[in-house]
Every structure is written in structure tokens, then in C-alpha cells.
Amino acid sequence: MSDSNLQQAFYGTVIYSENLEKISILENALLVVDGRGSIAAVEADVQKEKVSERLEALNASELSVTELKKGQFIMPGFVDTHNHAPQWLHRGQGQGLHILEWLNQVAFHNESLFKDPSHARRVYPMVVNGMLRQGVTTASYYGSLHGEATKILADVCLEMGQRALVGKCNMARNAPDFYVDSSVEESLQVTRDCISHIQRLDPKGDLIRHVLTPRFAICCDESLLEGLGEIAQENPTMAIQTHFDESEQEKNFTMTLFPQFTNEADLYEKFNLLNQRSILAHCTIMTPYETERLQQLGCGVAHCPTSNMTVGGGFMAAPIKDFLHRGMKVGLGTDSGGGYSISMLNAMRHSLVNSFARDFLDARDGSAAVTMEEAFHMATIGGARVVGFGEEVGDFTVGKQFDALLVDISEARGGITAPLEDADTLRTMLEKFIMTGDDRNIARVYVRGRLVHSG
């Protein structure tokens, strides 16, 4: 390893999820990033006076080191597994409406505005900048149904350095005339055009990838689902995202549209849209059969606790603990603007609250309650696995890419975090950030070793 391919180093507290049961907290750790943005070394318990010696052993004696102070630590970037980029401007509106009423009264009108490319060019930099400010280094975005706007979203993500999945939203029915694909053929052609654009933009898919995005079966007839299933089979590594068992109202309507099916799992599987690349948002009202089928197929779940508790017509508590016990992939999503907040910290907190309700409904013995370890896991490496980037990011395994946050909960940040006390452990420091911190505590954001936000 030569000096020329080492980029930067950090010395201090490094925190990441090792597994669902364990958060690794490395004290006096030396973390080295190479020029490609990958993690070259992570060593714990390095005495301060030995840092130069360790860098020399790595042939990096000239490398400058960012020394973390009390109250600062490095952790993996957040992964938002479910976000509606064109809903940025109307977040928080229509809270309490049932999901279908919310779509028709709030979401569809606002999303339709992205027919104008200039609107997309104005709004999407706000979206990506705001997400990076919140520490979201990877996001799975639903675009609008417009091809040009979807391309602009992908362009902006790449330009601003955010890792992202971007998809043109397919919806050919059960939406207002002003916001619906003109035909199934057009919907599929625009999808293929967006795929080509994103593949030209980032041929290897290092940062930006296309994701097939049938909004949900309510907006897609059989011919559109068949066409999207064909595209999925033609692109065996491409992710697929949709809404799944989001609410009782949504599920009932879906079954009336597809009376030949008795559940959503069989419906989507029939059209080749359920597999290990599927990102299924919500999954709140699951039958045992559906859960078992998703487990068998290796599907990922995008758990969106904030929107599940505020939009849809009821407090919907997904059986997340059951999914985790089964070894299913589960990540967190903000579902903005169905969820009013783009904060992954809020998503973590609400995943805890949501699970406590699930525990009260199901067991009352704690077996359905999510732990802090599990919430942290879902927000980082769990989410990365759901969206297909688990081999590249999500923890600090040597060789993975350095997507990371420099967190600072010291008084100097001027936030509202619970103050750090002299007697606090490093675990307490982490918990104070998760439960009382906000974006003011996210001092720097890195994607693939590149500084993409500092505040």
C-alpha cells in the first residue's frame, strides 16, 4: 500500500452495527480510507502516541489525521429504503387521511407538477441536499411518472454525490387524468428510456442505479405488471420497489381489482416482481402465508413507522420483530411525504414506539419490541442489504466503501441533544444522539470517501 492511494484517516470513536444483537463501539480507533473511497484499515485501541507508528506501517506516514474530540464519533451513513422524492414540498400535509384519499387530495396533484422539467430542476437539489444534511448517504427514491424529471433526479444525485436508487413511477390507472401514464406502452417505454439514461450515467452502478417502480397494483393493470415483470427478468440485478400490504383500505381495493388472487404476495409473484431484489414498503397487514412467502423469496422490507402511524387511517404497526427473527432483510424508510419527517433518527425512534404497540397487541411480553441494536442495524447495514448495496456499504468492514457520518453531540454544535456528561459511556453518547439528536449533530457526511456535506 503506497502513500498515493491513501486518502484520509480518522482517530477516535468508531461505531457500527456488527449484527442485530451487537453494536460495535471501537475506542481509540484508527480508520484509514484509500483514494478510491474504500476502507483500507480499522484498528481499535490504538494509543495516541502510536498513531504515527501505525500509519507508517501502512505506508501512510504523511497522511493527515482527523482526530475526533470528546462527543464526536464516526458511524455508517443512514440508508433510507423508501422515499418519494417528488413529495418533498408537501411533506406533512393531509396527516390522518386514509391512504387513498391522501393520494387523491394531496400527493397526486403535487407530483403532477414534475411534468415541468424546470420544476424538477428547482426541487430535486433541495431534496438531495436535505437528505444529505440528515445523514442519508443512500436513498431508494420513487420518482414521479415523468421520464424527464426522473432523469433529472438521477443526474442530481450523481452530481451531489448521494448513492441512490431512482425509479420512474409506473401508474396507468386509478389516478386523476392529469397524473396517469397515457398508456401501458408509454409507461414501459419511458421506463426503458430511464433505465438507459441511468446506465449511461453510471455504467457500473457504483452510485446510481435504476429501480423498477410500479407504484402499487392499484395503479397497474395486468398488462403493465406483465411488462414490468419482463423488464425485471431482462435485468437480473435490477432492484424492484412497490408498496405492499400498506393498509386495510389499500389491500381491500387491490383484491377487488385482482379477484383471481387472495393475497398480494401471489399477485406480485405471478408477475415476476417478487424476488431477492424486491424492496417492499410497509408490510403492515401480513397474513402468515405472505410472510412465509416473502421470507422464502428473499424479499426486503422497507419499514416506514412514521407514515404507518400518521397516514393511512389508523396506527399501523408492522410485525418487524417477526421479520427479523426469520432472518428477513429489513431497513428503515422515511416515506416522505406520507411520513412528515425525512429524519432517519425519527425513523429509528418511531420504529421503537411502533414496535411497543405491536408488542402490546401481540404478546405483552416484550417479544415483539425492537431493541436499540435492531433499530441501529435497520438504519444502516440492514437498509443497505434491502436496497442491494449491502456488499458495498453499511458497516466498516475493510474493503467496503466509506459512506459515513461524523457525529458531534458536544455543546459546540448548538443543538438540543441531551448534554454529554463526564461519566457518560460511549454507548450513552450514541443513545443520546439517536434519541435526542438532530441534523445539527451531523457535522460531516461522506459518500465513497468524498465529503458531500458539512454543517
Side-chain angles (χ1 to χ4, degrees), residues 88-109:
W88 179 262
L89 295 179
H90 67 267
R91 286 171 293 142
Q93 297 180 36
Q95 297 294 296
L97 289 173
H98 282 258
I99 184 62
L100 299 183
E101 285 72 29
W102 180 81
L103 288 171
N104 282 290
Q105 294 179 35
V106 180
F108 287 157
H109 165 70

Side-chain angles (χ1 to χ4, degrees), residues 45-56:
D45 299 319
V46 177
Q47 297 177 6
K48 188 174 181 179
E49 58 271 20
K50 297 288 187 179
V51 170
S52 297
E53 179 181 315
R54 294 307 307 142
L55 288 175
E56 187 174 348

Side-chain angles (χ1 to χ4, degrees), residues 8 28 81 124 132 134 141 155 163 165 190 203 258 291 302 304 410 412 431 449:
Q8 55 193 318
N28 298 324
T81 62
Y124 282 152
L132 289 173
Q134 296 289 338
Y141 287 123
D155 294 345
R163 193 181 301 273
L165 278 67
V190 173
F258 296 89
T291 300
C304 306
S410 68
E431 290 187 1

Side-chain angles (χ1 to χ4, degrees), residues 232-287:
Q233 290 182 301
E234 294 167 10
N235 297 271
T237 62
M238 186 176 293
I240 306 159
Q241 63 183 356
T242 194
H243 299 79
F244 191 96
D245 284 359
E246 182 173 1
S247 71
E248 185 175 15
Q249 183 192 49
E250 171 269 328
K251 191 168 186 175
N252 289 342
F253 189 24
T254 300
M255 293 301 98
T256 65
L257 294 171
F258 296 89
Q260 68 272 42
F261 299 102
T262 60
N263 62 83
E264 293 194 9
D266 287 345
L267 190 165
Y268 287 107
E269 185 179 5
K270 167 67 175 178
F271 296 105
N272 298 306
L273 295 170
L274 284 193
N275 54 45
Q276 73 278 6
R277 297 174 280 121
S278 300
I279 306 166
L280 304 178
H282 304 297
C283 299
T284 61
I285 306 174
M286 302 284 286
T287 65

